[in-house]
Amino acid sequence: EILQRSIDAVVNRFGYAEAAISLLTDNNVLEVMAIAGTEDFGYRPGFQQEMGKGIIGHTAEIQATYIANEVASDPYYFSNDEHQGSAICIPIINDGRLLGVLYVESSVSNAFNGDDAKTLETLANQLSASIQRARLYSTSQEHLRVMSTVQAVSHVVSTTLDLDKIFESVVKELK
């Protein structure tokens, strides 16, 4: 939800043809998690891209901001259709570790300058912090669930000496 809201805000504020956030999966592949734009390029959440492939994969590989002033002639740009315009891609990094990339495409050539890069890099830093907080929250919820299960099993074990009842309760709690 945070990622989608961020992308929607970028597109609504600046009217870009496409903006997307892709996160690095456990398989070392970039997966689109949020996407929006004034044009439909056919990409959807769940689309996966390999490291080093396309502007998104290239940016992830070099872990630095990449600007394509004209996508039609950019060596890293790929699409199923011919497009004109420009693109900027910013890595989302936390503590030196790549989390994903922020990609923005304009239908206008040379649309991005140093100020745009700084603005979007600031957004990428904020996204990094939000992603980390969401992951920490998810991890703490999982730990809480495990601890609750251990507490329930401990309670059952401490309240009865009947092994069958203990086994039945433990299996029930673990399910």
Side-chain angles (χ1 to χ4, degrees):
E1 184 180 336
I2 292 168
L3 301 179
Q4 190 62 54
R5 282 185 183 188
S6 299
I7 288 298
D8 289 342
V10 167
V11 168
N12 291 337
R13 174 68 174 98
F14 300 105
Y16 292 125
E18 182 178 64
I21 297 172
S22 297
L23 297 182
L24 192 61
T25 68
D26 293 337
N27 300 333
N28 213 31
V29 172
L30 294 155
E31 182 174 339
V32 174
M33 296 296 177
I35 192 165
T38 60
E39 297 178 32
D40 185 357
F41 291 158
Y43 296 104
R44 301 283 178 260
F47 176 79
Q48 294 187 341
Q49 194 164 344
E50 294 177 31
M51 292 284 285
K53 302 280 174 124
I55 292 175
I56 291 170
H58 176 67
T59 300
E61 192 170 68
I62 64 171
Q63 295 189 20
T65 298
Y66 181 83
I67 297 176
N69 289 317
E70 180 51 62
V71 295
S73 61
D74 188 83
Y76 299 106
Y77 186 80
F78 75 87
S79 176
N80 296 332
D81 299 320
E82 287 188 31
H83 292 275
Q84 300 294 317
S86 54
I88 185 169
C89 196
I90 296 95
I92 302 170
I93 298 173
N94 184 272
D95 290 334
R97 197 183 97 211
L98 179 72
L99 300 178
V101 296
L102 168 63
Y103 176 82
V104 180
E105 188 168 334
S106 173
S107 56
V108 178
S109 297
N110 299 304
F112 302 102
N113 59 35
D115 288 341
D116 296 319
K118 286 191 185 314
T119 300
L120 292 171
E121 286 166 354
T122 300
L123 175 60
N125 287 334
Q126 295 300 315
L127 288 170
S128 170
S130 295
I131 291 165
Q132 283 304 100
R133 281 192 299 273
R135 287 181 176 172
L136 287 172
Y137 178 78
S138 177
T139 300
S140 67
Q141 291 300 307
E142 178 62 22
H143 287 151
L144 182 60
R145 189 181 65 77
V146 168
M147 293 304 296
S148 295
T149 302
V150 169
Q151 182 182 19
V153 168
S154 295
H155 178 73
V156 168
V157 170
S158 68
T159 59
T160 184
L161 296 175
D162 182 356
L163 278 177
D164 289 336
K165 188 170 183 172
I166 291 172
F167 291 146
E168 181 181 318
S169 295
V170 167
V171 169
K172 180 182 171 190
E173 288 298 329
L174 292 177
K175 281 185 179 179

